Amino acid sequence: MTKLKKLLEKEIFIAGPCSIEDRDQVFRIGKKLKDLGVEIFRAGAFKPRTSPHTFQGIGKEGLDYLRELKKEMGFYIVSEIVDPRHLDYFEDIDILQVGTRNMQNFELLKELGKTDKYILLKRGMAATVEEFIQASEYIRSMGNEKIILCERGIRTFENSTRYTLDISSIPILKERTPYKVIVDSSHATGIARYVSPVALGGIAAGADGFLIEVHDRPDQALTDKDQAILPEELEPIINKSRQIRKIIER
Ligand code: PEP
Ligand code: MN
């Protein structure tokens, strides 16, 4: 069993900024998360944005910074892939994220199914649980079973949060798939002060961990600034998540 597999079996706490902005930002935030004991760092180099006129990520260069960070601090790295033609750029990136907008990009999923990377598949914002499971089948049927599912909220009529975290999807996915399931309460709520309670709710529903966006200067973040929590705010979420997991495993 690889070290990463062993870690994922135990708990999956993924944190980092939404976007890689520059080398200094990655190392500043990386250092703070390392000090908290975070082992899986996530940041986006390719950002699939709603508008083509907004910041699209710094691209390939960002992945070089992540590789450097991995070497220096020993993190496992997660980053989003949006195009199978970019696969070569992702050498040494441990977990490839497929974002909500690409959950049904079947050609991308099939190519990822031919790799031996872990794939973090996010639920489409308008996808049913069944469609989510079938999307994971596109990866598995090509031979890759290293899949982590992420409930990141769906579109509903509710507009006091960015999306609505579908808590019931968690026990359903756990029942119907062999995969680890995590919650992303950052994108689900879009509001920093709700990130902790909603993440903990997901953990209580049986999630194996979370994905949370963290920034040391949220007001300056180039993407998703309203939902970014400070590194020090992550520590109690990790501690409480561990306690909740202990209770529900009993
Ligand atoms: C992200 O993880 O920064 C992101 C864009 O997520 P999602 O695909 O869930 O919107
Ligand atoms: Mn984001």
Side-chain angles (χ1 to χ4, degrees):
M1 195 187 275
T2 64
K3 271 189 182 166
L4 176 55
K5 185 169 164 56
K6 219 168 160 182
L7 172 63
L8 299 175
E9 283 299 326
K10 190 176 104 202
E11 60 186 22
I12 307 175
F13 298 142
I14 302 173
C18 180
S19 296
I20 301 158
E21 295 164 8
D22 53 52
R23 189 181 178 281
D24 183 57
Q25 173 240 19
V26 165
F27 275 76
R28 266 189 351 253
I29 299 172
K31 168 86 175 62
K32 293 204 163 161
L33 293 178
K34 190 76 206 170
D35 290 346
L36 295 178
V38 171
E39 294 183 78
I40 313 177
F41 184 92
R42 189 207 76 124
F46 295 92
K47 300 303 300 179
R49 306 298 304 287
T50 301
S51 163
H53 306 299
T54 55
F55 177 65
Q56 302 287 303
I58 64 170
K60 195 168 176 282
E61 183 190 343
L63 297 174
D64 295 336
Y65 301 149
L66 293 181
R67 256 188 291 276
E68 232 185 287
L69 183 82
K70 171 177 169 152
K71 230 174 160 182
E72 199 167 311
M73 300 192 193
F75 284 112
Y76 294 106
I77 303 286
V78 185
S79 198
E80 176 162 1
I81 183 163
V82 295
D83 187 328
R85 291 171 298 187
H86 294 171
L87 258 170
D88 285 349
Y89 305 162
F90 284 78
E91 199 188 333
D92 293 331
I93 304 298
D94 304 281
I95 303 177
L96 308 192
Q97 174 178 318
V98 176
T100 191
R101 292 161 186 83
N102 273 317
M103 187 205 82
Q104 287 186 314
N105 183 339
F106 299 129
E107 296 309 312
L108 173 63
L109 299 180
K110 284 192 276 183
E111 285 306 312
L112 297 177
K114 294 180 197 163
T115 72
D116 66 351
K117 302 271 192 189
Y118 277 94
I119 310 298
L120 173 61
L121 180 65
K122 286 190 162 200
R123 180 177 179 180
M125 62 179 85
T128 63
V129 171
E130 177 60 24
E131 287 162 342
F132 190 16
I133 293 171
Q134 291 308 322
S136 74
E137 280 292 290
Y138 271 92
I139 304 169
R140 192 192 63 83
S141 63
M142 297 305 284
N144 186 357
E145 298 188 13
K146 289 153 85 174
I147 298 169
I148 301 163
L149 301 174
C150 178
E151 165 60 46
R152 51 78 70 205
I154 52 174
R155 274 261 159 85
T156 68
F157 52 81
E158 181 52 60
N159 58 10
S160 46
T161 48
R162 192 174 176 190
Y163 297 93
T164 300
L165 191 88
D166 178 13
I167 266 219
S168 48
S169 74
I170 297 160
I172 300 170
L173 293 167
K174 297 291 296 181
E175 182 181 272
R176 294 187 42 199
T177 77
Y179 309 129
K180 297 289 174 189
V181 179
I182 64 169
V183 278
D184 169 355
S185 59
S186 300
H187 294 87
T189 64
I191 300 166
R193 66 182 182 282
Y194 303 143
V195 166
S196 169
V198 174
L200 297 177
I203 299 288
D208 300 291
F210 57 66
L211 182 169
I212 288 180
E213 287 191 345
V214 172
H215 202 294
D216 62 338
R217 300 171 189 168
D219 52 319
Q220 290 174 31
L222 292 182
T223 53
D224 288 348
K225 63 201 291 203
D226 296 338
Q227 66 199 36
I229 64 166
L230 294 167
E232 53 269 32
E233 293 175 312
L234 188 67
E235 194 171 25
I237 308 178
I238 294 174
N239 293 338
K240 288 174 191 171
S241 293
R242 287 190 175 134
Q243 289 174 36
I244 295 170
R245 278 169 59 76
K246 253 193 218 142
I247 293 168
I248 63 171
E249 274 163 15
R250 264 182 219 145

